[in-house]
Short mmCIF file of all heavy atoms in Angstrom, two decimals:
data_model
loop_
_atom_site.label_atom_id
_atom_site.label_comp_id
_atom_site.label_asym_id
_atom_site.label_seq_id
_atom_site.Cartn_x
_atom_site.Cartn_y
_atom_site.Cartn_z
N LEU A 479 6.06 -7.39 -22.21
CA LEU A 479 7.08 -6.84 -23.10
C LEU A 479 8.46 -7.39 -22.78
O LEU A 479 9.44 -6.94 -23.35
CB LEU A 479 7.09 -5.30 -23.01
CG LEU A 479 5.77 -4.61 -23.40
CD1 LEU A 479 5.87 -3.11 -23.16
CD2 LEU A 479 5.41 -4.90 -24.83
N GLY A 480 8.55 -8.32 -21.84
CA GLY A 480 9.84 -8.89 -21.49
C GLY A 480 10.68 -8.00 -20.60
O GLY A 480 11.89 -8.20 -20.51
N SER A 481 10.06 -7.01 -19.96
CA SER A 481 10.82 -6.14 -19.06
C SER A 481 10.04 -5.95 -17.77
O SER A 481 8.83 -6.17 -17.71
CB SER A 481 11.07 -4.78 -19.72
OG SER A 481 9.85 -4.13 -19.95
N VAL A 482 10.75 -5.52 -16.77
CA VAL A 482 10.13 -5.29 -15.46
C VAL A 482 9.40 -3.95 -15.50
O VAL A 482 9.92 -2.97 -15.99
CB VAL A 482 11.21 -5.29 -14.36
CG1 VAL A 482 10.59 -4.95 -13.02
CG2 VAL A 482 11.92 -6.63 -14.32
N ASP A 483 8.19 -3.93 -15.00
CA ASP A 483 7.43 -2.69 -14.93
C ASP A 483 7.31 -2.25 -13.48
O ASP A 483 7.32 -3.07 -12.57
CB ASP A 483 6.01 -2.89 -15.47
CG ASP A 483 5.97 -2.97 -16.98
OD1 ASP A 483 6.80 -2.30 -17.62
OD2 ASP A 483 5.11 -3.69 -17.50
N LYS A 484 7.17 -0.96 -13.30
CA LYS A 484 6.96 -0.42 -11.96
C LYS A 484 5.48 -0.56 -11.62
O LYS A 484 4.62 -0.45 -12.49
CB LYS A 484 7.36 1.05 -11.93
CG LYS A 484 7.27 1.68 -10.57
CD LYS A 484 7.83 3.08 -10.58
CE LYS A 484 7.73 3.67 -9.18
NZ LYS A 484 8.29 5.01 -9.12
N CYS A 485 5.20 -0.80 -10.37
CA CYS A 485 3.82 -0.89 -9.92
C CYS A 485 3.10 0.42 -10.20
O CYS A 485 3.59 1.50 -9.89
CB CYS A 485 3.81 -1.20 -8.42
SG CYS A 485 2.18 -1.09 -7.68
N THR A 486 1.94 0.32 -10.78
CA THR A 486 1.12 1.50 -11.08
C THR A 486 -0.05 1.64 -10.12
O THR A 486 -0.92 2.47 -10.33
CB THR A 486 0.55 1.40 -12.50
OG1 THR A 486 -0.31 0.26 -12.55
CG2 THR A 486 1.66 1.27 -13.54
N PHE A 487 -0.04 0.79 -9.09
CA PHE A 487 -1.19 0.70 -8.18
C PHE A 487 -2.46 0.35 -8.97
O PHE A 487 -3.55 0.71 -8.57
CB PHE A 487 -1.40 1.97 -7.37
CG PHE A 487 -0.36 2.20 -6.31
CD1 PHE A 487 0.24 3.43 -6.16
CD2 PHE A 487 0.01 1.18 -5.46
CE1 PHE A 487 1.19 3.64 -5.18
CE2 PHE A 487 0.96 1.37 -4.47
CZ PHE A 487 1.56 2.61 -4.34
N CYS A 488 -2.25 -0.33 -10.12
CA CYS A 488 -3.40 -0.76 -10.94
C CYS A 488 -4.32 0.40 -11.29
O CYS A 488 -5.54 0.33 -11.08
CB CYS A 488 -4.19 -1.86 -10.24
SG CYS A 488 -3.36 -3.45 -10.19
N LEU A 489 -3.75 1.48 -11.80
CA LEU A 489 -4.55 2.68 -12.10
C LEU A 489 -5.81 2.39 -12.91
O LEU A 489 -6.88 2.94 -12.58
CB LEU A 489 -3.67 3.72 -12.81
CG LEU A 489 -4.36 5.04 -13.14
CD1 LEU A 489 -4.91 5.70 -11.88
CD2 LEU A 489 -3.41 5.97 -13.86
N PRO A 490 -5.76 1.56 -13.97
CA PRO A 490 -7.02 1.30 -14.70
C PRO A 490 -8.11 0.70 -13.81
O PRO A 490 -9.29 0.99 -13.99
CB PRO A 490 -6.59 0.31 -15.80
CG PRO A 490 -5.14 0.60 -15.99
CD PRO A 490 -4.62 0.93 -14.62
N ARG A 491 -7.71 -0.13 -12.85
CA ARG A 491 -8.71 -0.69 -11.92
C ARG A 491 -9.23 0.39 -10.98
O ARG A 491 -10.43 0.45 -10.69
CB ARG A 491 -8.10 -1.85 -11.12
CG ARG A 491 -7.83 -3.10 -11.95
CD ARG A 491 -7.19 -4.19 -11.09
NE ARG A 491 -7.99 -4.56 -9.94
CZ ARG A 491 -8.96 -5.47 -9.96
NH1 ARG A 491 -9.23 -6.11 -11.08
NH2 ARG A 491 -9.63 -5.77 -8.86
N LEU A 492 -8.32 1.25 -10.47
CA LEU A 492 -8.74 2.32 -9.56
C LEU A 492 -9.74 3.23 -10.25
O LEU A 492 -10.71 3.69 -9.64
CB LEU A 492 -7.53 3.13 -9.09
CG LEU A 492 -6.48 2.39 -8.27
CD1 LEU A 492 -5.38 3.36 -7.86
CD2 LEU A 492 -7.09 1.72 -7.05
N GLU A 493 -9.50 3.51 -11.53
CA GLU A 493 -10.39 4.39 -12.28
C GLU A 493 -11.79 3.79 -12.44
O GLU A 493 -12.75 4.51 -12.68
CB GLU A 493 -9.78 4.71 -13.65
CG GLU A 493 -8.56 5.60 -13.54
CD GLU A 493 -7.82 5.79 -14.85
OE1 GLU A 493 -7.98 4.95 -15.77
OE2 GLU A 493 -7.08 6.77 -14.95
N LYS A 494 -11.88 2.47 -12.28
CA LYS A 494 -13.19 1.79 -12.34
C LYS A 494 -13.78 1.59 -10.94
O LYS A 494 -14.80 0.93 -10.78
CB LYS A 494 -13.05 0.42 -13.01
CG LYS A 494 -12.68 0.50 -14.47
CD LYS A 494 -12.50 -0.91 -15.02
CE LYS A 494 -12.04 -0.87 -16.46
NZ LYS A 494 -11.69 -2.22 -16.96
N GLY A 495 -13.08 2.13 -9.92
CA GLY A 495 -13.58 1.98 -8.56
C GLY A 495 -13.23 0.66 -7.92
O GLY A 495 -13.81 0.29 -6.90
N LEU A 496 -12.28 -0.08 -8.53
CA LEU A 496 -11.86 -1.37 -7.99
C LEU A 496 -10.58 -1.21 -7.18
O LEU A 496 -9.84 -0.25 -7.34
CB LEU A 496 -11.61 -2.36 -9.14
CG LEU A 496 -12.80 -2.64 -10.05
CD1 LEU A 496 -12.35 -3.43 -11.27
CD2 LEU A 496 -13.89 -3.38 -9.29
N LEU A 497 -10.31 -2.19 -6.34
CA LEU A 497 -9.04 -2.23 -5.61
C LEU A 497 -7.95 -2.76 -6.52
O LEU A 497 -8.24 -3.47 -7.50
CB LEU A 497 -9.16 -3.15 -4.39
CG LEU A 497 -9.97 -2.62 -3.22
CD1 LEU A 497 -10.19 -3.73 -2.20
CD2 LEU A 497 -9.27 -1.42 -2.58
N PRO A 498 -6.68 -2.48 -6.22
CA PRO A 498 -5.59 -3.10 -6.98
C PRO A 498 -5.73 -4.62 -6.95
O PRO A 498 -6.18 -5.20 -5.96
CB PRO A 498 -4.33 -2.65 -6.24
CG PRO A 498 -4.72 -1.35 -5.61
CD PRO A 498 -6.16 -1.53 -5.21
N ALA A 499 -5.32 -5.26 -8.04
CA ALA A 499 -5.52 -6.70 -8.18
C ALA A 499 -4.87 -7.49 -7.05
O ALA A 499 -5.45 -8.45 -6.53
CB ALA A 499 -4.97 -7.17 -9.53
N CYS A 500 -3.66 -7.10 -6.64
CA CYS A 500 -2.98 -7.87 -5.60
C CYS A 500 -3.67 -7.71 -4.24
O CYS A 500 -3.67 -8.62 -3.42
CB CYS A 500 -1.51 -7.50 -5.51
SG CYS A 500 -1.20 -5.76 -5.19
N VAL A 501 -4.25 -6.56 -4.00
CA VAL A 501 -4.98 -6.34 -2.74
C VAL A 501 -6.23 -7.21 -2.72
O VAL A 501 -6.53 -7.86 -1.72
CB VAL A 501 -5.35 -4.85 -2.59
CG1 VAL A 501 -6.22 -4.62 -1.36
CG2 VAL A 501 -4.09 -3.99 -2.52
N GLU A 502 -6.94 -7.23 -3.83
CA GLU A 502 -8.17 -7.99 -3.91
C GLU A 502 -7.92 -9.49 -3.89
O GLU A 502 -8.71 -10.26 -3.35
CB GLU A 502 -8.92 -7.60 -5.18
CG GLU A 502 -10.33 -8.11 -5.23
CD GLU A 502 -11.10 -7.49 -6.37
OE1 GLU A 502 -11.44 -6.31 -6.27
OE2 GLU A 502 -11.35 -8.20 -7.36
N ALA A 503 -6.80 -9.93 -4.48
CA ALA A 503 -6.55 -11.36 -4.64
C ALA A 503 -6.00 -12.04 -3.39
O ALA A 503 -6.19 -13.25 -3.21
CB ALA A 503 -5.58 -11.58 -5.79
N CYS A 504 -5.33 -11.31 -2.52
CA CYS A 504 -4.66 -11.95 -1.39
C CYS A 504 -5.66 -12.44 -0.35
O CYS A 504 -6.36 -11.64 0.27
CB CYS A 504 -3.67 -11.00 -0.73
SG CYS A 504 -2.81 -11.78 0.65
N PRO A 505 -5.75 -13.76 -0.12
CA PRO A 505 -6.73 -14.28 0.83
C PRO A 505 -6.38 -13.96 2.29
O PRO A 505 -7.23 -14.06 3.16
CB PRO A 505 -6.69 -15.79 0.58
CG PRO A 505 -5.33 -16.05 0.05
CD PRO A 505 -4.96 -14.83 -0.75
N MET A 506 -5.12 -13.60 2.55
CA MET A 506 -4.72 -13.30 3.92
C MET A 506 -4.70 -11.80 4.22
O MET A 506 -4.25 -11.36 5.28
CB MET A 506 -3.33 -13.90 4.20
CG MET A 506 -3.29 -15.41 4.08
SD MET A 506 -4.50 -16.24 5.12
CE MET A 506 -3.83 -15.94 6.72
N HIS A 507 -5.13 -10.99 3.26
CA HIS A 507 -5.18 -9.53 3.44
C HIS A 507 -3.82 -8.97 3.82
O HIS A 507 -3.70 -8.09 4.68
CB HIS A 507 -6.23 -9.14 4.49
CG HIS A 507 -7.58 -9.71 4.20
ND1 HIS A 507 -8.38 -9.26 3.17
CD2 HIS A 507 -8.25 -10.73 4.78
CE1 HIS A 507 -9.49 -9.96 3.14
NE2 HIS A 507 -9.45 -10.88 4.11
N ALA A 508 -2.78 -9.50 3.16
CA ALA A 508 -1.43 -9.03 3.44
C ALA A 508 -1.18 -7.62 2.88
O ALA A 508 -0.28 -6.93 3.32
CB ALA A 508 -0.40 -9.99 2.86
N ARG A 509 -1.98 -7.25 1.89
CA ARG A 509 -1.82 -5.93 1.29
C ARG A 509 -3.08 -5.11 1.52
O ARG A 509 -4.19 -5.64 1.47
CB ARG A 509 -1.54 -6.03 -0.20
CG ARG A 509 -0.19 -6.63 -0.50
CD ARG A 509 0.10 -6.59 -1.97
NE ARG A 509 1.49 -6.97 -2.18
CZ ARG A 509 2.25 -6.51 -3.15
NH1 ARG A 509 1.75 -5.65 -4.01
NH2 ARG A 509 3.49 -6.88 -3.26
N ASN A 510 -2.86 -3.85 1.77
CA ASN A 510 -3.98 -2.93 1.93
C ASN A 510 -3.71 -1.72 1.06
O ASN A 510 -2.56 -1.39 0.75
CB ASN A 510 -4.11 -2.51 3.40
CG ASN A 510 -4.54 -3.66 4.27
OD1 ASN A 510 -5.71 -3.95 4.37
ND2 ASN A 510 -3.58 -4.34 4.89
N PHE A 511 -4.75 -1.05 0.68
CA PHE A 511 -4.61 0.11 -0.21
C PHE A 511 -5.57 1.19 0.24
O PHE A 511 -6.69 0.92 0.67
CB PHE A 511 -4.96 -0.31 -1.65
CG PHE A 511 -4.78 0.80 -2.64
CD1 PHE A 511 -3.54 1.07 -3.18
CD2 PHE A 511 -5.86 1.58 -3.02
CE1 PHE A 511 -3.37 2.10 -4.08
CE2 PHE A 511 -5.70 2.61 -3.92
CZ PHE A 511 -4.45 2.88 -4.46
N GLY A 512 -5.11 2.44 0.16
CA GLY A 512 -6.00 3.53 0.52
C GLY A 512 -5.30 4.86 0.45
O GLY A 512 -4.18 4.97 -0.04
N ASP A 513 -5.98 5.88 0.94
CA ASP A 513 -5.52 7.27 0.86
C ASP A 513 -4.91 7.68 2.21
O ASP A 513 -5.62 7.82 3.21
CB ASP A 513 -6.72 8.16 0.52
CG ASP A 513 -6.34 9.62 0.35
OD1 ASP A 513 -5.15 9.96 0.53
OD2 ASP A 513 -7.25 10.41 0.04
N LEU A 514 -3.59 7.90 2.22
CA LEU A 514 -2.94 8.29 3.47
C LEU A 514 -3.33 9.70 3.89
O LEU A 514 -3.10 10.09 5.03
CB LEU A 514 -1.42 8.20 3.32
CG LEU A 514 -0.83 6.80 3.42
CD1 LEU A 514 0.67 6.83 3.15
CD2 LEU A 514 -1.11 6.20 4.79
N ASN A 515 -3.89 10.49 2.98
CA ASN A 515 -4.35 11.84 3.34
C ASN A 515 -5.69 11.80 4.06
O ASN A 515 -6.13 12.81 4.60
CB ASN A 515 -4.47 12.71 2.08
CG ASN A 515 -3.11 12.97 1.47
OD1 ASN A 515 -2.14 13.22 2.18
ND2 ASN A 515 -3.03 12.89 0.16
N ASP A 516 -6.33 10.64 4.03
CA ASP A 516 -7.60 10.45 4.74
C ASP A 516 -7.28 9.74 6.05
O ASP A 516 -6.94 8.57 6.07
CB ASP A 516 -8.56 9.62 3.88
CG ASP A 516 -9.85 9.28 4.58
OD1 ASP A 516 -10.03 9.66 5.77
OD2 ASP A 516 -10.69 8.62 3.95
N LYS A 517 -7.41 10.44 7.16
CA LYS A 517 -7.01 9.86 8.45
C LYS A 517 -7.90 8.68 8.86
O LYS A 517 -7.52 7.91 9.73
CB LYS A 517 -7.00 10.91 9.55
CG LYS A 517 -8.37 11.48 9.91
CD LYS A 517 -8.26 12.47 11.05
CE LYS A 517 -9.58 13.11 11.41
NZ LYS A 517 -10.65 12.19 11.72
N ASP A 518 -9.04 8.54 8.23
CA ASP A 518 -9.93 7.43 8.56
C ASP A 518 -9.77 6.23 7.63
O ASP A 518 -10.46 5.22 7.79
CB ASP A 518 -11.39 7.90 8.52
CG ASP A 518 -11.67 8.95 9.58
OD1 ASP A 518 -11.10 8.83 10.69
OD2 ASP A 518 -12.43 9.88 9.29
N SER A 519 -8.87 6.32 6.65
CA SER A 519 -8.70 5.20 5.70
C SER A 519 -8.02 4.03 6.39
O SER A 519 -7.36 4.19 7.43
CB SER A 519 -7.87 5.65 4.49
OG SER A 519 -6.52 5.86 4.88
N ILE A 520 -8.18 2.85 5.80
CA ILE A 520 -7.59 1.65 6.38
C ILE A 520 -6.07 1.78 6.48
O ILE A 520 -5.48 1.37 7.48
CB ILE A 520 -8.00 0.38 5.58
CG1 ILE A 520 -7.42 -0.87 6.19
CG2 ILE A 520 -7.57 0.46 4.13
CD1 ILE A 520 -8.02 -1.29 7.48
N VAL A 521 -5.42 2.36 5.48
CA VAL A 521 -3.96 2.45 5.52
C VAL A 521 -3.49 3.45 6.58
O VAL A 521 -2.48 3.23 7.24
CB VAL A 521 -3.38 2.78 4.13
CG1 VAL A 521 -3.50 1.58 3.20
CG2 VAL A 521 -4.03 4.00 3.53
N SER A 522 -4.22 4.54 6.75
CA SER A 522 -3.85 5.50 7.81
C SER A 522 -3.99 4.84 9.17
O SER A 522 -3.12 4.99 10.04
CB SER A 522 -4.75 6.73 7.75
OG SER A 522 -4.50 7.47 6.58
N ARG A 523 -5.05 4.09 9.34
CA ARG A 523 -5.27 3.43 10.64
C ARG A 523 -4.22 2.36 10.90
O ARG A 523 -3.67 2.26 12.00
CB ARG A 523 -6.67 2.82 10.66
CG ARG A 523 -7.08 2.30 12.01
CD ARG A 523 -8.53 1.89 12.05
NE ARG A 523 -8.89 0.94 11.01
CZ ARG A 523 -8.65 -0.37 11.07
NH1 ARG A 523 -8.02 -0.87 12.11
NH2 ARG A 523 -9.02 -1.16 10.10
N LEU A 524 -3.89 1.57 9.87
CA LEU A 524 -2.88 0.52 10.05
C LEU A 524 -1.51 1.10 10.39
O LEU A 524 -0.82 0.59 11.27
CB LEU A 524 -2.79 -0.35 8.80
CG LEU A 524 -3.98 -1.28 8.56
CD1 LEU A 524 -3.88 -1.91 7.18
CD2 LEU A 524 -4.04 -2.34 9.64
N LEU A 525 -1.12 2.17 9.71
CA LEU A 525 0.19 2.78 10.02
C LEU A 525 0.19 3.40 11.40
O LEU A 525 1.19 3.35 12.11
CB LEU A 525 0.55 3.82 8.97
CG LEU A 525 1.07 3.27 7.65
CD1 LEU A 525 1.48 4.41 6.72
CD2 LEU A 525 2.25 2.33 7.85
N LYS A 526 -0.92 3.98 11.78
CA LYS A 526 -1.01 4.59 13.11
C LYS A 526 -0.91 3.53 14.20
O LYS A 526 -0.28 3.74 15.24
CB LYS A 526 -2.33 5.36 13.23
CG LYS A 526 -2.50 6.09 14.54
CD LYS A 526 -3.82 6.84 14.55
CE LYS A 526 -4.08 7.44 15.93
NZ LYS A 526 -5.42 8.02 16.02
N GLU A 527 -1.50 2.37 13.95
CA GLU A 527 -1.52 1.31 14.97
C GLU A 527 -0.29 0.42 14.94
O GLU A 527 0.00 -0.28 15.91
CB GLU A 527 -2.78 0.46 14.79
CG GLU A 527 -4.05 1.24 15.07
CD GLU A 527 -5.31 0.44 14.78
OE1 GLU A 527 -5.20 -0.75 14.39
OE2 GLU A 527 -6.40 1.00 14.92
N ALA A 528 0.46 0.42 13.83
CA ALA A 528 1.64 -0.44 13.73
C ALA A 528 2.73 0.03 14.69
O ALA A 528 2.91 1.24 14.89
CB ALA A 528 2.17 -0.43 12.30
N THR A 529 3.44 -0.90 15.25
CA THR A 529 4.53 -0.51 16.16
C THR A 529 5.75 -0.05 15.38
O THR A 529 6.57 0.70 15.90
CB THR A 529 4.93 -1.68 17.07
OG1 THR A 529 5.27 -2.81 16.26
CG2 THR A 529 3.78 -2.06 18.00
N SER A 530 5.89 -0.49 14.12
CA SER A 530 6.98 0.00 13.29
C SER A 530 6.63 -0.27 11.82
O SER A 530 5.80 -1.11 11.52
CB SER A 530 8.30 -0.69 13.64
OG SER A 530 8.24 -2.05 13.29
N TYR A 531 7.28 0.48 10.94
CA TYR A 531 7.14 0.24 9.51
C TYR A 531 8.37 0.78 8.81
O TYR A 531 9.13 1.57 9.40
CB TYR A 531 5.87 0.89 8.95
CG TYR A 531 5.83 2.39 9.05
CD1 TYR A 531 6.46 3.19 8.09
CD2 TYR A 531 5.16 3.02 10.09
CE1 TYR A 531 6.41 4.56 8.19
CE2 TYR A 531 5.12 4.39 10.20
CZ TYR A 531 5.74 5.16 9.24
OH TYR A 531 5.70 6.52 9.34
N HIS A 532 8.60 0.35 7.59
CA HIS A 532 9.70 0.92 6.82
C HIS A 532 9.30 1.08 5.36
O HIS A 532 8.33 0.49 4.89
CB HIS A 532 10.99 0.12 6.99
CG HIS A 532 10.96 -1.24 6.34
ND1 HIS A 532 10.41 -2.35 6.93
CD2 HIS A 532 11.42 -1.64 5.14
CE1 HIS A 532 10.53 -3.37 6.13
NE2 HIS A 532 11.13 -2.99 5.03
N VAL A 533 10.05 1.89 4.66
CA VAL A 533 9.85 2.18 3.25
C VAL A 533 11.16 1.85 2.54
O VAL A 533 12.22 2.25 2.99
CB VAL A 533 9.50 3.66 3.03
CG1 VAL A 533 9.35 3.99 1.56
CG2 VAL A 533 8.21 4.01 3.79
N LEU A 534 11.07 1.09 1.44
CA LEU A 534 12.29 0.68 0.74
C LEU A 534 12.96 1.86 0.05
O LEU A 534 12.30 2.69 -0.57
CB LEU A 534 11.95 -0.39 -0.31
CG LEU A 534 11.38 -1.71 0.22
CD1 LEU A 534 11.07 -2.65 -0.94
CD2 LEU A 534 12.36 -2.35 1.19
N LYS A 535 14.27 1.92 0.16
CA LYS A 535 15.11 2.91 -0.52
C LYS A 535 14.57 4.33 -0.39
O LYS A 535 14.55 5.09 -1.36
CB LYS A 535 15.29 2.52 -1.99
CG LYS A 535 16.01 1.19 -2.14
CD LYS A 535 16.44 0.95 -3.56
CE LYS A 535 17.29 -0.29 -3.65
NZ LYS A 535 17.89 -0.47 -4.94
N GLN A 536 14.17 4.68 0.80
CA GLN A 536 13.61 6.00 1.03
C GLN A 536 14.63 7.10 0.72
O GLN A 536 14.26 8.21 0.35
CB GLN A 536 13.16 6.10 2.49
CG GLN A 536 12.19 7.22 2.76
CD GLN A 536 11.52 7.05 4.11
OE1 GLN A 536 11.95 6.27 4.96
NE2 GLN A 536 10.46 7.80 4.32
N THR A 537 15.91 6.77 0.83
CA THR A 537 16.96 7.77 0.60
C THR A 537 17.18 8.08 -0.87
O THR A 537 17.89 9.03 -1.21
CB THR A 537 18.29 7.28 1.20
OG1 THR A 537 18.60 6.00 0.64
CG2 THR A 537 18.20 7.17 2.71
N ASP A 538 16.56 7.31 -1.78
CA ASP A 538 16.74 7.58 -3.21
C ASP A 538 15.95 8.79 -3.69
O ASP A 538 16.12 9.24 -4.82
CB ASP A 538 16.33 6.36 -4.04
CG ASP A 538 17.35 5.24 -3.97
OD1 ASP A 538 18.39 5.43 -3.32
OD2 ASP A 538 17.10 4.17 -4.55
N GLY A 539 15.08 9.32 -2.86
CA GLY A 539 14.35 10.53 -3.21
C GLY A 539 13.19 10.31 -4.17
O GLY A 539 12.72 11.27 -4.80
N THR A 540 12.73 9.08 -4.32
CA THR A 540 11.63 8.81 -5.25
C THR A 540 10.26 8.89 -4.56
O THR A 540 9.24 8.63 -5.20
CB THR A 540 11.78 7.43 -5.90
OG1 THR A 540 11.85 6.44 -4.87
CG2 THR A 540 13.04 7.38 -6.76
N LEU A 541 10.26 9.23 -3.30
CA LEU A 541 9.03 9.38 -2.52
C LEU A 541 8.11 8.16 -2.63
O LEU A 541 6.94 8.28 -3.01
CB LEU A 541 8.28 10.65 -2.95
CG LEU A 541 9.09 11.94 -2.89
CD1 LEU A 541 8.26 13.10 -3.43
CD2 LEU A 541 9.58 12.23 -1.48
N PRO A 542 8.62 6.98 -2.31
CA PRO A 542 7.78 5.78 -2.39
C PRO A 542 6.62 5.85 -1.42
O PRO A 542 6.72 6.45 -0.34
CB PRO A 542 8.75 4.65 -2.02
CG PRO A 542 9.82 5.30 -1.24
CD PRO A 542 9.95 6.69 -1.78
N ASN A 543 5.51 5.27 -1.81
CA ASN A 543 4.32 5.26 -0.97
C ASN A 543 3.86 3.86 -0.63
O ASN A 543 2.67 3.62 -0.46
CB ASN A 543 3.19 6.03 -1.66
CG ASN A 543 3.40 7.52 -1.56
OD1 ASN A 543 3.44 8.06 -0.46
ND2 ASN A 543 3.56 8.18 -2.68
N VAL A 544 4.82 2.94 -0.55
CA VAL A 544 4.52 1.58 -0.10
C VAL A 544 5.20 1.40 1.25
O VAL A 544 6.41 1.59 1.36
CB VAL A 544 5.02 0.52 -1.11
CG1 VAL A 544 4.77 -0.88 -0.58
CG2 VAL A 544 4.33 0.71 -2.46
N TYR A 545 4.43 1.06 2.23
CA TYR A 545 4.92 0.91 3.60
C TYR A 545 4.83 -0.56 3.99
O TYR A 545 3.83 -1.22 3.69
CB TYR A 545 4.09 1.75 4.57
CG TYR A 545 4.21 3.23 4.35
CD1 TYR A 545 3.56 3.85 3.29
CD2 TYR A 545 4.98 4.01 5.20
CE1 TYR A 545 3.68 5.20 3.07
CE2 TYR A 545 5.10 5.39 4.99
CZ TYR A 545 4.45 5.97 3.93
OH TYR A 545 4.57 7.31 3.70
N TYR A 546 5.86 -1.03 4.67
CA TYR A 546 5.91 -2.42 5.12
C TYR A 546 5.86 -2.44 6.63
O TYR A 546 6.67 -1.78 7.29
CB TYR A 546 7.19 -3.10 4.64
CG TYR A 546 7.27 -3.20 3.14
CD1 TYR A 546 7.76 -2.15 2.38
CD2 TYR A 546 6.82 -4.35 2.48
CE1 TYR A 546 7.81 -2.23 0.99
CE2 TYR A 546 6.87 -4.44 1.10
CZ TYR A 546 7.37 -3.38 0.37
OH TYR A 546 7.41 -3.46 -1.00
N THR A 547 4.90 -3.16 7.18
CA THR A 547 4.81 -3.28 8.63
C THR A 547 5.24 -4.70 9.01
O THR A 547 5.11 -5.63 8.22
CB THR A 547 3.38 -3.02 9.14
OG1 THR A 547 2.50 -3.99 8.57
CG2 THR A 547 2.93 -1.62 8.77
N GLN A 548 5.72 -4.83 10.23
CA GLN A 548 6.15 -6.15 10.68
C GLN A 548 5.14 -6.76 11.62
O GLN A 548 5.30 -7.87 12.07
CB GLN A 548 7.51 -6.05 11.37
CG GLN A 548 8.60 -5.65 10.38
CD GLN A 548 9.96 -5.59 11.05
OE1 GLN A 548 10.07 -5.24 12.21
NE2 GLN A 548 10.98 -5.93 10.30
N ASP A 549 4.13 -6.04 11.93
CA ASP A 549 3.12 -6.59 12.81
C ASP A 549 1.75 -6.27 12.22
O ASP A 549 1.60 -5.42 11.38
CB ASP A 549 3.23 -6.00 14.21
CG ASP A 549 3.14 -4.48 14.19
OD1 ASP A 549 3.26 -3.88 13.10
OD2 ASP A 549 2.92 -3.88 15.24
N ILE A 550 0.79 -7.02 12.65
CA ILE A 550 -0.57 -6.80 12.18
C ILE A 550 -1.40 -6.32 13.35
O ILE A 550 -1.63 -7.07 14.31
CB ILE A 550 -1.18 -8.10 11.60
CG1 ILE A 550 -0.33 -8.56 10.44
CG2 ILE A 550 -2.62 -7.88 11.18
CD1 ILE A 550 -0.73 -9.93 9.92
N PRO A 551 -1.82 -5.04 13.31
CA PRO A 551 -2.67 -4.57 14.40
C PRO A 551 -3.94 -5.40 14.51
O PRO A 551 -4.49 -5.83 13.51
CB PRO A 551 -3.01 -3.13 13.98
CG PRO A 551 -1.96 -2.76 12.98
CD PRO A 551 -1.58 -4.04 12.29
N THR A 552 -4.38 -5.62 15.71
CA THR A 552 -5.60 -6.41 15.92
C THR A 552 -6.79 -5.53 16.19
O THR A 552 -6.66 -4.39 16.50
CB THR A 552 -5.42 -7.39 17.08
OG1 THR A 552 -5.05 -6.65 18.25
CG2 THR A 552 -4.39 -8.43 16.75
S1 LIG B 1136 -1.22 -5.95 -8.89
FE1 LIG B 1136 -0.38 -4.88 -7.13
S2 LIG B 1136 1.83 -4.81 -7.50
FE2 LIG B 1136 0.84 -5.24 -9.47
S3 LIG B 1136 0.52 -3.22 -10.44
FE3 LIG B 1136 -1.35 -3.74 -9.31
S4 LIG B 1136 -1.05 -2.74 -7.30
FE4 LIG B 1136 0.95 -2.88 -8.26
#
């Protein structure tokens, strides 16, 4: 539509049981997706093991759920 859209976490794909397109497409596994309420999910484990992470514009009050880590747990 010629405008910037907000990430929807690929909801139509999630509803089909698929991963978000960018998660599935990245050959280096730079993106991960999962349920932070599930302590055994990949994203919960990665955040727990990361030495640090940040969330963009957390002070804007939009409750973003994208976390950026600077290290890759092994
Ligand atoms: S491909 Fe990735 S960035 Fe784009 S809408 Fe899907 S989850 Fe969001």
Side-chain angles (χ1 to χ4, degrees):
L479 300 176
S481 63
V482 176
D483 285 327
K484 184 174 181 178
C485 171
T486 63
F487 289 133
C488 288
L489 182 58
R491 290 178 58 87
L492 297 182
E493 290 173 339
K494 293 177 183 172
L496 301 170
L497 287 171
C500 58
V501 174
E502 192 169 288
C504 181
M506 298 305 290
H507 307 288
R509 292 186 171 212
N510 292 277
F511 183 83
D513 183 358
L514 282 176
N515 294 318
D516 175 359
K517 67 177 178 55
D518 296 324
S519 70
I520 181 72
V521 289
S522 293
R523 189 172 54 81
L524 288 170
L525 282 183
K526 183 179 173 187
E527 294 175 2
T529 56
S530 67
Y531 63 83
H532 69 277
V533 177
L534 297 179
K535 297 192 174 189
Q536 198 165 15
T537 56
D538 286 358
T540 57
L541 305 176
N543 283 299
V544 177
Y545 294 76
Y546 295 85
T547 61
Q548 294 182 327
D549 57 346
I550 300 172
T552 57

